[in-house]
Amino acid sequence: MKTALTGIKPTAVPHLGNYLGAIQPALALSKTYNTLYFIADYHAFTTLRDPVALRRHVYDVAATWLAAGLDPQKTLFYRQSAVIEVFELAWVLSCLLATGQLERGHAFKEALASGEAPNAGVFNYPVLMAADILLFDAHLVPVGQDQKQHLELARDVALRFNHLFGENTLVVPEPLVHEHLLVPGTDGRKMSKGYGNTVPLFAPAKELKAALLKIKTGSEPLDAPKEPRGNAVFEMYRAVASAEEVQAMAESLRRGGYGWGHAKLALYDALEVKLGPLRQRFLDLRGNEQALDDLLAEGAKRARHFAQATMKRVRCAIGIS
Ligand code: TRP
């Protein structure tokens, strides 16, 4: 069975867009792949300077993925920071990469262009990510569009390693980019924390409703026919409701006599059906940090077992043993 792996950066509470665009598809992969999903806390540390927030977001992310259905028996679920072999491999890989390749990194270039003085962690970010991936012989890496360049670098350095130290020492990973599932936010742009247009995932029902009522729509009169496609309410509904329900809403909107307010309420109902039961699980899981720590530590233990075998192979190949 092939291996799929991805990292989740704990910089915020996951929102509906994360759930539909990343969490759900990643969990679906666990049926056909050996899966490793981890919390990339040392990636978050490149920019997050608030220890309380960092700690809190690790638990938020862990409880969210578990509530969404991650089965820790099947999927290795761990904190990146607990698998210290990652940092050793990152060093090895950094010695095989030209600084020019890292200088061309999007995130680093953007930080420079916006007048910031990025730290060396931002510069080395893709190296750490390559280590996350190559340490576990991952074949497939589900990521967002913005991570494609990082995957290219992971592939390059794996090929380079194999070329220098022996073919088939490292598995060359493939990206799986979910570009078709662009979940719009409340302003119609891609849902993203940076745009402040997110819909919360496990907020109390009242708060969810308030967020949905804020979604920008046209101001056509109730009777007017309306074009559903491209409207944020309809596009979100398409991501959560059944095909028949979606069809029915599209027809009502096009016919006229059905307003965006109606559509928002239908969206709210569909979200409640889907997320209501998960919300309670989330709250239960989130309420017991010790249990989450134990579960992640168990995952890390199993992950390290695998990681140590890879490092043995790597050290032996490069002449450190
Ligand atoms: N950089 C990824 C992000 O911002 C998170 C990440 C860290 C990751 N390590 C990874 C993703 C390894 C895939 C594989 O979302």
Side-chain angles (χ1 to χ4, degrees):
M1 202 189 249
K2 293 203 167 181
T3 295
L5 168 149
T6 198
I8 312 126
K9 209 158 68 161
T11 42
V13 184
H15 53 67
L16 180 66
N18 298 136
Y19 176 74
L20 297 172
I23 302 176
Q24 236 185 200
L27 293 178
L29 278 181
S30 68
K31 295 200 184 75
T32 42
Y33 283 82
N34 173 34
T35 40
L36 294 96
Y37 297 148
F38 65 92
I39 303 176
D41 44 3
Y42 266 132
H43 274 111
F45 184 63
T46 57
T47 51
L48 196 56
R49 291 288 171 267
D50 177 348
V52 175
L54 180 51
R55 194 166 294 126
R56 185 156 39 81
H57 290 325
V58 168
Y59 294 124
D60 290 337
V61 166
T64 299
W65 281 69
L66 291 164
L70 184 145
D71 174 358
Q73 297 306 321
K74 273 217 282 219
T75 297
L76 278 193
F77 193 44
Y78 55 93
R79 282 182 159 96
Q80 174 192 43
S81 57
V83 181
I84 54 176
E85 290 75 12
V86 168
F87 310 100
E88 185 179 354
L89 183 57
W91 176 259
V92 173
L93 300 178
S94 77
C95 295
L96 299 179
L97 280 159
T99 50
Q101 191 163 5
L102 295 175
E103 276 160 7
R104 288 191 292 278
H106 290 318
F108 178 68
K109 274 199 329 203
E110 270 161 35
L112 278 185
S114 68
E116 292 166 41
N119 63 61
V122 172
F123 185 72
N124 287 312
Y125 187 107
V127 187
L128 185 58
M129 186 160 156
D132 290 330
I133 299 167
L134 302 181
L135 190 58
F136 292 103
D137 294 346
H139 301 93
L140 195 70
V141 183
V143 283
Q145 182 68 36
D146 59 335
Q147 300 296 312
K148 251 176 110 170
Q149 193 194 34
H150 294 156
L151 254 293
E152 269 315 307
L153 188 131
R155 288 173 57 83
D156 281 0
V157 75
L159 287 166
R160 185 163 176 74
F161 187 102
N162 289 346
H163 178 68
L164 290 170
F165 302 112
E167 293 306 326
N168 303 324
T169 312
L170 297 176
V171 171
V172 181
E174 297 283 343
L176 174 65
V177 179
H178 300 293
E179 34 203 338
H180 54 287
L181 242 176
L182 274 190
V183 182
T186 54
D187 59 358
R189 292 186 292 173
K190 180 186 173 201
M191 191 182 293
S192 156
K193 186 184 165 226
Y195 294 153
N197 64 358
T198 60
V199 173
L201 191 49
F202 297 134
K206 246 178 151 172
E207 208 175 294
L208 173 62
K209 198 175 244 177
L212 296 181
L213 289 175
K214 276 201 320 219
I215 300 176
K216 237 173 64 187
T217 58
S219 49
E220 307 96 316
L222 182 65
D223 286 343
K226 301 167 189 71
E227 176 48 44
R229 293 308 297 267
N231 176 275
V233 181
F234 181 74
E235 296 301 334
M236 269 188 233
Y237 193 68
R238 239 158 45 94
V240 292
S242 71
E244 298 83 66
E245 290 172 316
V246 172
Q247 178 71 19
M249 181 186 282
E251 279 166 15
S252 302
L253 284 164
R254 291 202 171 104
R255 195 182 314 118
Y258 184 88
W260 293 117
H262 296 123
K264 286 178 180 180
L265 289 180
L267 172 60
Y268 170 75
D269 288 339
L271 282 171
E272 263 305 300
V273 168
K274 205 174 162 79
L275 300 179
L278 273 58
R279 183 190 295 135
Q280 195 49 52
R281 284 196 58 195
F282 170 80
L283 292 172
D284 293 344
L285 288 156
R286 185 65 186 82
N288 190 345
E289 294 182 350
Q290 185 60 52
L292 292 171
D293 279 334
D294 293 347
L295 189 146
L296 291 169
E298 176 58 29
K301 201 168 116 193
R302 287 158 60 201
R304 287 195 67 194
H305 192 73
F306 192 101
Q308 281 162 4
T310 309
M311 278 321 293
K312 209 165 160 187
R313 209 163 73 226
V314 165
R315 281 165 153 252
C316 180
I318 63 177
I320 302 268
S321 46

